[in-house]
């Protein structure tokens, strides 16, 4: 007798169809997510200090220890004390202040206004190396040092670094009459002997501040000298990186990146000390700055010091080596010069 197989029920056929459809949908989602992940991880721009992904993320190219910071402290050997101060909460701007040992309540010290380096995107005034360097300068030069914590790319793109530093310099100047918010500056800062300085990106910011002092003025403050240690300026492979970090840039001739000879003639100081390192990518632009400054008609005195056989900011990586000690001693002499 022939067996007749009954047809599949409509409910069983419908369930099978739904299962197959769900498998297709899951595969589509999986493929889409893989595509999106692949797209998001695509690098669209890569610079020396960071890379930019298609989804807009920015990843900085530096090891975790670069983020290390140390608290302010008192040095029992030199007598230098330090403290942190808030200059502005919005935008966030702060500083670490160092003061030498005070032996007289009326004692006055020259003041060094310092900007740290880090390519406009890393490091801090509170980093161990900068804390040590500024503390050493305070002790050996007998100077108050105000080390500025300014905004960094990508959280706060350029021009935040310039704006924050200028706001901090104006905050320092608010103590000229002795009635500012910080007692150390009210009581012990000699505003007739102010210096502006920085290394790498901080050297670039120092130039811009000094130009602003010469153009706009800083009432009650005399900027005697500027110290540029391996400063960043335009004219290298890093130009496009700086332009990317500054969405409001005015191109390769932006005066903050590549100051004109005319602008150099307006520097608001009497003396400039420029350091360049022989093996530094920025060696040539530091030398060009010095040559342009001499051509500008600026009435001050400029000195160029080349650190032979050394690389960019070597004194921060190896502060106890002979040439780093020489660099520090040169800065100290520049501040102490009458």
């Amino acid at each position: 007798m022939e067996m007749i197989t009954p047809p599949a029920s409509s409910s069983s056929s419908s369930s099978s169809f739904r299962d197959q459809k769900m498998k297709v949908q899951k595969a589509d989602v999986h493929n889409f997510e893989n595509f999106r992940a692949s797209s998001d991880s695509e690098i669209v721009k890569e610079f020396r200090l960071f890379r930019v992904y298609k989804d807009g993320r920015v990843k900085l190219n530096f090891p975790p220890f670069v983020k290390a910071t140390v608290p302010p402290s008192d040095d029992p050997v030199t007598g230098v004390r330090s403290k942190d101060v808030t200059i502005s909460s919005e935008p966030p701007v702060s500083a670490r202040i160092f003061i030498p040992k005070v032996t007289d309540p009326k004692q006055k010290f020259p003041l060094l206004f310092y900007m740290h380096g880090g390519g406009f995107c890393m490091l801090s005034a509170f980093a161990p190396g900068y804390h040590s360097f500024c503390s050493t300068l305070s002790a050996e030069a007998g100077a108050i040092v105000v080390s500025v914590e300014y905004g960094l790319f990508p959280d706060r793109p350029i021009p935040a670094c310039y704006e924050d530093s200028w706001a901090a310099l104006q905050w320092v100047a608010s103590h000229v009459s002795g009635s500012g918010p910080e007692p150390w500056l009210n009581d012990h800062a000699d505003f007739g002997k102010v210096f502006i300085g920085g290394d790498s990106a901080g050297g670039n910011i120092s130039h811009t501040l000094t130009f602003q002092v010469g153009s706009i003025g800083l009432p009650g403050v005399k900027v005697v000298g500027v110290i540029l240690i391996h400063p960043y300026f335009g004219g290298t492979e890093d130009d496009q990186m700086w332009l990317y970090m500054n969405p409001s840039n005015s191109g390769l001739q932006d005066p903050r990146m590549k100051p004109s000879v005319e602008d150099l003639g307006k520097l608001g100081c009497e003396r400039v000390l420029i350091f360049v390192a022989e093996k530094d990518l920025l060696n040539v632009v530091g030398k060009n700055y010095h040559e342009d400054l001499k051509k500008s008609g600026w009435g001050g005195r400029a000195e160029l010091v080349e650190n032979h056989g050394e690389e960019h900011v070597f004194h921060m990586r190896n502060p106890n080596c002979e040439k780093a000690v020489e660099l520090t001693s040169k800065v100290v002499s520049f501040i102490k010069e009458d």
Side-chain angles (χ1 to χ4, degrees):
M1 180 175 178
E2 182 180 1
M3 300 292 293
I4 300 175
T5 305
S9 68
S10 59
S11 61
S12 174
S13 176
S14 175
S15 174
S16 176
F17 176 76
R18 284 197 304 268
D19 290 345
Q20 185 66 24
K21 185 177 180 181
M22 287 178 65
K23 288 179 181 179
V24 171
Q25 288 176 333
K26 287 180 179 179
D28 287 344
V29 169
H30 179 70
N31 290 337
F32 174 74
E33 288 178 345
N34 284 342
F35 171 78
R36 184 175 63 182
S38 175
S39 176
D40 289 351
S41 62
E42 180 183 345
I43 298 171
V44 293
K45 289 185 180 294
E46 186 157 16
F47 302 103
R48 190 165 60 88
L49 299 182
F50 60 89
R51 58 184 58 175
V52 183
Y53 292 89
K54 192 170 184 178
D55 64 356
R57 288 179 296 119
V58 174
K59 184 177 181 181
L60 302 177
N61 300 330
F62 60 83
F65 72 80
V66 170
K67 296 182 179 181
T69 59
V70 294
S73 59
D74 297 345
D75 190 324
V77 177
T78 65
V80 171
R81 291 179 289 160
S82 60
K83 67 165 73 169
D84 292 343
V85 296
T86 298
I87 293 169
S88 167
S89 55
E90 187 56 46
V93 185
S94 58
R96 179 159 295 177
I97 304 180
F98 301 80
I99 189 170
K101 185 176 182 179
V102 177
T103 58
D104 183 335
K106 296 182 179 180
Q107 192 171 4
K108 297 290 184 179
F109 302 105
L111 186 146
L112 171 62
F113 187 81
Y114 197 84
M115 270 66 58
H116 69 83
F120 306 97
C121 62
M122 63 181 79
L123 292 173
S124 166
F126 312 139
Y130 284 107
H131 177 93
S132 178
F133 184 59
C134 290
S135 182
T136 297
L137 291 178
S138 181
E140 295 187 7
I144 292 174
V145 180
V146 178
S147 183
V148 183
E149 181 77 347
Y150 54 83
L152 299 174
F153 175 88
D155 294 337
R156 299 189 58 223
I158 298 172
C161 55
Y162 301 110
E163 295 169 348
D164 292 355
S165 299
W166 179 245
L169 186 57
Q170 290 179 306
W171 177 84
V172 167
S174 73
H175 295 79
V176 166
S177 64
S179 57
E182 174 47 53
W184 284 1
L185 301 187
N186 287 332
D187 298 339
H188 299 293
D190 182 349
F191 292 99
K193 292 183 179 180
V194 172
F195 296 81
I196 297 174
D199 61 276
S200 193
N204 174 278
I205 298 169
S206 297
H207 155 78
T208 300
L209 294 178
T210 311
F211 169 74
Q212 288 180 275
V213 170
S215 303
I216 302 171
L218 198 64
V221 175
K222 181 179 180 180
V223 178
V224 176
V226 175
I227 302 156
L228 310 179
I229 304 174
H230 311 160
Y232 165 77
F233 291 109
T236 73
E237 63 186 49
D238 286 340
D239 289 4
Q240 293 302 319
M241 181 176 68
W242 187 92
L243 292 173
Y244 186 87
M245 288 191 283
N246 181 9
S248 61
N249 73 77
S250 56
L252 290 171
Q253 300 304 314
D254 190 299
R256 293 162 297 185
M257 182 175 78
K258 197 169 184 180
S260 67
V261 172
E262 181 183 359
D263 283 355
L264 290 173
K266 299 175 183 178
L267 289 185
C269 64
E270 298 176 348
R271 294 186 277 129
V272 174
L273 175 62
I274 308 162
F275 292 92
V276 296
E278 183 182 8
K279 297 180 179 180
D280 187 2
L281 169 73
L282 300 176
N283 177 286
V284 65
V285 297
K287 289 180 176 177
N288 289 343
Y289 182 94
H290 179 243
E291 289 301 315
D292 289 345
L293 185 57
K294 291 192 294 183
K295 299 173 187 174
S296 69
W298 173 67
R301 175 165 56 88
E303 181 179 1
L304 179 72
V305 177
E306 183 162 17
N307 308 123
H308 294 286
E310 297 296 344
E311 298 180 347
H312 188 63
V313 294
F314 70 95
H315 65 294
M316 298 302 298
R317 291 189 296 273
N318 190 7
N320 297 317
C321 74
E322 182 180 353
K323 291 184 180 179
V325 172
E326 290 175 359
L327 184 152
T328 302
S329 296
K330 184 68 177 179
V331 173
V332 167
S333 298
F334 185 77
I335 294 172
K336 297 177 78 171
E337 181 181 332
D338 291 329

